[in-house]
Every structure is written in structure tokens, then in C-alpha cells.
Amino acid sequence: MDGLEGGLLGPDPGALSQEQTEELRKIKIQTRLANEKYLRTHKEVELLLNGFFRQMFLQRPGNVLEFAADYFTDPRLPNKIHTQLIKDKKAT
């Protein structure tokens, strides 16, 4: 096994070229910016996740998947989020 550098047999034919790597980097940046913009315009996402994590850490359920399913299918959840959005809007 002489001549093996870093455990590779030679150039990786599946590796991205420099151009492809740069294009991928640009796409990742654009995606992050678009995601950030979306989250800033949809405050309810933050409220949903914060509420979920708050309740999860308070209750510390043994079965997190079951807890998450129950939390996100609670028929009262949309009203809770709507109420919180109104409350937050009044506070600003």
C-alpha cells in the first residue's frame, strides 16, 4: 500500500471542482438569506418552536416524539399562537 497519501487512492472523481464549490457556496448563502427573511416575516415560527422547547424542558417527557406529536396537533395551538402574536404586537 505504498503511495497512498491520506488514505486515498488518488483524486476523488466525485469531488467538486473549484467552480462547483464556489457555486455551491453562493447557493448556500442565498438559501440562508432566504430562510432568514422568511423567519423574520413569520414570527409564528419562532413562537411555535419557543413554545415547544419551553414545554419540553419544563415537562421533560420520556418520549419526546410522542410529546412533539401531541404538542403540534393540539387543537388549541393555533389560537395560542394567534393570541401571542397579538400580545407581542401590542407590546411594540
Side-chain angles (χ1 to χ4, degrees):
M1 295 227 169
D2 287 56
L4 296 180
E5 195 170 314
L8 295 176
L9 297 174
D12 183 357
L16 298 177
S17 68
Q18 281 186 313
E19 291 173 355
Q20 291 171 321
T21 300
E22 181 60 23
E23 185 63 27
L24 179 60
R25 187 186 71 77
K26 288 177 183 178
I27 291 170
K28 286 181 177 182
I29 290 170
Q30 290 171 348
T31 301
R32 286 181 187 155
L33 290 172
N35 290 346
E36 181 69 25
K37 184 178 178 182
Y38 179 83
L39 290 174
R40 286 178 188 257
T41 59
H42 292 278
K43 177 79 173 160
E44 64 273 18
V45 175
E46 181 181 349
L47 294 173
L48 279 165
L49 295 176
N50 285 346
F52 169 73
F53 283 120
R54 182 176 48 252
Q55 290 303 311
M56 183 186 65
F57 289 130
L58 287 172
Q59 297 181 28
R60 300 201 182 271
N63 186 332
V64 176
L65 293 177
E66 185 177 317
F67 176 82
D70 290 342
Y71 181 85
F72 287 109
T73 57
D74 181 350
R76 298 169 297 173
L77 185 59
N79 190 45
K80 289 179 185 178
I81 298 300
H82 181 72
T83 302
Q84 188 63 44
L85 284 169
I86 292 171
K87 184 179 173 183
D88 288 357
K89 195 170 195 171
K90 287 181 180 178
T92 57

